[in-house]
Amino acid sequence: METVESVSTSHGFGYLVDHNICLTYEEFVEECLARVSQSLKSLSLFGFPFFRYNSNILLLISEYCHNLVSLKLHSGWLYVDNMNPMPMLTTLTLESLRLEDKHLNQLNKCFPNLQLLSEFAITKTVKNLTLDSGNTKPTDNRDSKLTIGKVFMVFPNVSSLCLKSSAWLEVEASMNQEGWGSLDGRKGLKRICAYLKLGDPSWTFSSVACMLDQCVGLSEVSLLVHVRHVGNVCHNFMSNCIARWPRLKWRWGIWSDEILKDIWIKIL
């Protein structure tokens, strides 16, 4: 069948518990993909057994499915080393899967044009978290999906949080007139770093205030301002922050798309 565009397995495989059957499952997938991969745009694999070994499913998919747009995987322990990039893929759903932290960067590189990612399960082991976003332009609160509340819900034990510029724009866009609602104290969060664009300093200050006022355990805040806003606007913004939260340790810096390293200019 040379024109198959969508393949979805049933979840019966999830009840098989023999290790050899698990390997056979990969062999079955490889043989199937080799036959239908040319026209395949959507693939859903449900319930390959959850053993403590690295599944090569993603490697097989990246080897054969060059035109895949949507991918859904359920149950397993994923392995991504030597995986080929999949620039056509825009939608990825990962459910009940295990993926080691060291493989996250490689996974991101393999899906450069991803537009939609499924929600993460609650992850209690992550302590240091850096958030970025594919959106480079500000959105309004109707479009933004990233909120600080969701971040803390998924990563409840984060002690250090860094928000890159695009992620901060998403966070600002999620703010409404009532702010972000309750962040449940966030006593475990000790450090925050954010990359800011002061296009509307008063709005950005309100967003910073919403977060800092509720994260009562904070001890250190690092804010980097885009280089084009350095000047009186930046100076006034910094002064207002220090006056509002004098007990915190402050670090100020400059970031730019053109420079590789951030420039720290003041530590208070």
Side-chain angles (χ1 to χ4, degrees), residues 91-140:
T91 300
L92 176 64
T93 302
L94 304 176
E95 297 180 354
S96 303
L97 290 162
R98 175 155 185 168
L99 181 69
E100 295 183 12
D101 292 347
K102 63 183 180 180
H103 292 151
L104 287 176
N105 286 337
Q106 181 63 28
L107 188 71
N108 289 334
K109 293 177 182 178
C110 290
F111 304 117
N113 296 314
L114 196 64
Q115 298 176 11
L116 179 63
L117 179 66
S118 56
E119 294 185 4
F120 286 97
I122 295 176
T123 306
K124 295 184 178 181
T125 58
V126 174
K127 301 295 184 181
N128 302 309
L129 178 65
T130 298
L131 293 179
D132 207 343
S133 170
N135 291 338
T136 57
K137 297 180 180 179
T139 58
D140 59 37

Side-chain angles (χ1 to χ4, degrees), residues 16-216:
L16 302 178
V17 294
D18 184 84
H19 184 72
N20 292 325
I21 294 179
C22 192
L23 294 177
T24 304
Y25 182 84
E26 289 188 2
E27 294 172 359
F28 163 77
V29 170
E30 182 174 17
E31 183 175 354
C32 176
L33 294 182
R35 299 186 182 196
V36 302
S37 60
Q38 292 301 316
S39 58
L40 198 62
K41 295 181 180 179
S42 176
L43 178 62
S44 176
L45 300 179
F46 192 105
F48 46 92
F50 197 106
F51 283 101
R52 293 186 61 84
Y53 88 108
N54 292 323
S55 169
N56 291 315
I57 292 293
L58 270 178
L59 277 67
L60 295 174
I61 293 171
S62 69
E63 180 179 354
Y64 291 104
C65 302
H66 304 298
N67 297 312
L68 203 64
V69 175
S70 175
L71 173 62
K72 180 177 181 178
L73 300 177
H74 188 291
S75 302
W77 192 316
L78 295 183
Y79 181 74
V80 299
D81 281 356
N82 301 316
M83 181 180 170
N84 298 316
M86 301 184 67
M88 298 293 291
L89 196 79
T90 59
T91 300
L92 176 64
T93 302
L94 304 176
E95 297 180 354
S96 303
L97 290 162
R98 175 155 185 168
L99 181 69
E100 295 183 12
D101 292 347
K102 63 183 180 180
H103 292 151
L104 287 176
N105 286 337
Q106 181 63 28
L107 188 71
N108 289 334
K109 293 177 182 178
C110 290
F111 304 117
N113 296 314
L114 196 64
Q115 298 176 11
L116 179 63
L117 179 66
S118 56
E119 294 185 4
F120 286 97
I122 295 176
T123 306
K124 295 184 178 181
T125 58
V126 174
K127 301 295 184 181
N128 302 309
L129 178 65
T130 298
L131 293 179
D132 207 343
S133 170
N135 291 338
T136 57
K137 297 180 180 179
T139 58
D140 59 37
N141 58 10
R142 294 170 298 178
D143 299 324
S144 178
K145 300 295 189 296
L146 177 62
T147 67
I148 289 294
K150 288 182 180 179
V151 172
F152 289 145
M153 183 181 299
V154 176
F155 303 100
N157 295 326
V158 165
S159 60
S160 179
L161 174 63
C162 179
L163 295 164
K164 294 291 188 175
S165 175
S166 54
W168 178 262
L169 290 177
E170 290 278 332
V171 167
E172 279 194 340
S174 70
M175 180 180 167
N176 55 35
Q177 293 181 352
E178 288 87 28
W180 287 322
S182 175
L183 299 184
D184 194 27
R186 285 307 113 201
K187 295 182 179 179
L189 188 66
K190 304 300 182 184
R191 294 174 296 279
I192 285 180
C193 177
Y195 290 69
L196 308 178
K197 291 182 178 179
L198 299 181
D200 186 344
S202 61
W203 182 258
T204 301
F205 184 83
S206 297
S207 301
V208 171
C210 276
M211 183 162 52
L212 299 192
D213 285 345
Q214 296 191 62
C215 298
V216 296

